[in-house]
Amino acid sequence: MLTKNNLAGAERPNPRLIAFYLPQYYPIPENDTWWGKGFTEWTNVVKAGPVFAGHYQPHLPADLGFYDLRLAEARAAQCELAREHGIHGFCYYHYWFSGRRLLERPVNEMLASREPDFPFCLCWANESWTRRWDGRNQEILLEQRYAAEDDVAHIRSLIPAFEDARYIRVDGKPLFLVYHSTEMPDSRATTYRWRREAERAGLPGLYLVRVESFEEQLEPQERGFDAGLEFQPFGGAMAAARLHRFKWWQRQKLRTRSAVFNEHSVYSYAELVNAACQLPEPAYPWIRSVCPSWDNTARRKKGGVIFHGSTPDLFEKWVAAIVGRISRQENNPGGSKPILFVNAWNEWAEGNHLEPCQRWGRDYLEAIKRAIS
């Protein structure tokens, strides 16, 4: 079993912790049409409830409250809280659909105002938007399409962000992530166009990372990328953490086991931590990640994924273990400044957040601060 003591003596670098950041905390016309007037991520959060005894739901915010990202004060408070606890920067999800952008206001205003002074990068969330939250996966709300001319237009639109002094870089190159690269029909051609346009704009190139978000560990350089990113909760570790429904429910002495397991998948967070710490590293450049928890039943009445039993102490052990591994890892990008991602800063409807909640307060933030120091 993983303990803090067996990490003693490991050489500890000071990794750059980058937290994924969801911008869906203010209304937009599209969400008004698809989900109802005034919809934001908070709409799902407040409707959540426990599905078995001891199940932690709903996750409700504490220090920052039910914020609105149209307010500069809310964005500044997030960055200050993150900085105080050792978070290096945010990775904002970026939504681009053939020239159409969604949920772009927080980043646009941050770029225009130059505030807050906090490092950032972008991750293209390149999935089509569907009604999967209410079980209708096949109903497409906004389809993701790909074309050569759109590749050029897309990257050109991002040059001002890449040129910003706050933008996170690897070897001097702006760091740009793609969430679901296997959806791209020809990622090598797309990334070639991106790099060419960046160089034409006077940048030294791009550092492109494919997020391993769908269990596929594929050699990134063969697909036009520089590195892969482990996205927790991750496939191999998830399989090891799956709770045996009968034994676990027998220990809980609950009668609702069949209904819950038929509707949702329940995993052990403690087993996820142990399995993730033992994942073999691929031969290619690989960025590690951790997650404080995961439970998306706020979004899904059926088909949810629950990691039960997360605590700040378990999270701290996980972060400390991965920091120790990074110190010995030869293929973590960043050179003298290795990178560690956290999924996520504020995924409240996925029960996955470093931001303080009413149950744990700042305990997860304090845990991560201790683990990296």
Side-chain angles (χ1 to χ4, degrees):
M1 294 292 292
L2 179 67
T3 66
K4 294 178 184 176
N5 291 337
N6 64 18
L7 300 172
E11 181 184 352
R12 302 288 180 90
N14 187 20
R16 292 182 287 176
L17 267 70
I18 304 172
F20 282 103
Y21 180 109
L22 181 71
Q24 192 159 226
Y25 295 92
Y26 69 100
I28 60 173
E30 291 84 355
N31 279 336
D32 285 350
T33 300
W34 297 328
W35 306 107
K37 187 69 174 177
F39 174 89
T40 72
E41 196 76 354
W42 300 125
T43 307
N44 289 326
V45 170
V46 298
K47 293 179 179 179
V51 298
F52 56 83
H55 178 210
Y56 174 34
Q57 279 289 4
H59 288 235
L60 299 176
D63 299 37
L64 300 176
F66 293 94
Y67 51 76
D68 185 326
L69 289 182
R70 292 173 295 187
L71 298 176
E73 295 88 346
R75 302 192 299 266
Q78 288 177 314
C79 293
E80 186 59 31
L81 187 63
R83 182 185 289 109
E84 288 175 2
H85 292 87
I87 306 300
H88 174 75
F90 289 149
C91 181
Y92 296 96
Y93 282 117
H94 158 72
Y95 304 92
W96 169 278
F97 295 88
S98 301
R100 181 178 178 181
R101 291 187 61 187
L102 274 68
L103 298 169
E104 74 279 11
R105 180 169 174 172
V107 170
N108 283 353
E109 293 187 357
M110 178 264 294
L111 290 172
S113 68
R114 303 289 176 179
E115 295 291 340
D117 185 10
F118 192 66
F120 73 96
C121 62
L122 299 173
C123 175
W124 182 26
N126 63 317
E127 296 178 292
S128 296
W129 282 22
T130 69
R131 297 195 71 91
R132 64 180 177 179
W133 290 354
D134 55 10
R136 289 178 280 176
N137 295 33
Q138 303 306 315
E139 184 176 340
I140 296 177
L141 302 174
L142 191 57
E143 185 176 6
Q144 188 66 255
R145 300 177 182 273
Y146 300 89
E149 59 272 18
D150 187 60
D151 291 342
V152 174
H154 185 188
I155 211 67
R156 284 178 177 173
S157 75
L158 296 177
I159 296 299
F162 294 157
E163 291 176 335
D164 192 288
R166 295 165 293 177
Y167 201 91
I168 297 170
R169 291 167 169 78
V170 174
D171 296 331
K173 301 175 182 179
L175 172 64
F176 185 54
L177 288 69
V178 176
Y179 183 70
H180 200 353
S181 66
T182 55
E183 289 288 299
M184 303 165 73
D186 189 346
S187 61
R188 287 183 63 89
T190 294
T191 54
Y192 171 77
R193 296 183 191 104
W194 287 351
R195 295 180 197 275
R196 181 184 61 188
E197 290 302 317
E199 291 169 358
R200 286 177 175 174
L203 294 169
L206 297 172
Y207 198 90
L208 301 176
V209 175
R210 64 177 304 273
V211 178
E212 296 173 353
S213 51
F214 292 85
E215 304 184 21
E216 75 279 269
Q217 281 191 284
L218 304 173
E219 212 292 332
Q221 294 175 340
E222 293 179 359
R223 290 157 181 81
F225 293 87
D226 296 291
L229 168 64
E230 166 198 23
F231 189 82
Q232 288 290 356
F234 185 69
M238 284 181 67
R242 184 69 178 262
L243 286 170
H244 189 289
R245 66 174 68 184
F246 300 113
K247 291 183 179 179
W248 189 76
W249 284 106
Q250 187 177 26
R251 290 199 301 272
Q252 305 304 310
K253 297 181 180 180
L254 300 175
R255 297 178 180 177
T256 56
R257 57 185 180 275
S258 297
V260 172
F261 272 105
N262 287 338
E263 293 177 353
H264 305 290
S265 298
V266 185
Y267 298 80
S268 163
Y269 183 82
E271 292 303 319
L272 173 69
V273 170
N274 284 318
C277 290
Q278 298 175 46
L279 283 175
E281 296 174 6
Y284 54 77
W286 197 46
I287 302 172
R288 300 303 305 264
S289 81
V290 294
C291 65
S293 55
W294 182 279
D295 180 351
N296 62 1
T297 53
R299 284 182 177 173
R300 303 189 181 197
K301 294 181 180 179
K302 292 186 178 181
V305 175
I306 302 166
F307 279 86
H308 183 64
S310 172
T311 66
D313 186 59
L314 282 170
F315 179 59
E316 181 179 346
K317 292 175 182 176
W318 188 359
V319 177
I322 297 304
V323 168
R325 287 190 65 170
I326 288 174
S327 70
R328 300 181 293 273
Q329 186 181 25
E330 296 183 358
N331 60 357
N332 184 288
S336 61
K337 296 182 179 180
I339 295 170
L340 173 62
F341 269 80
V342 183
N343 181 37
W345 174 255
N346 63 342
E347 286 276 11
W348 284 92
E350 292 181 343
N352 180 27
H353 49 85
L354 288 175
E355 288 182 337
C357 66
Q358 293 182 18
R359 178 175 183 177
W360 295 107
R362 297 188 176 191
D363 288 357
Y364 281 90
L365 283 169
E366 296 295 339
I368 205 168
K369 183 177 181 179
R370 288 192 300 269
I372 64 171
S373 64

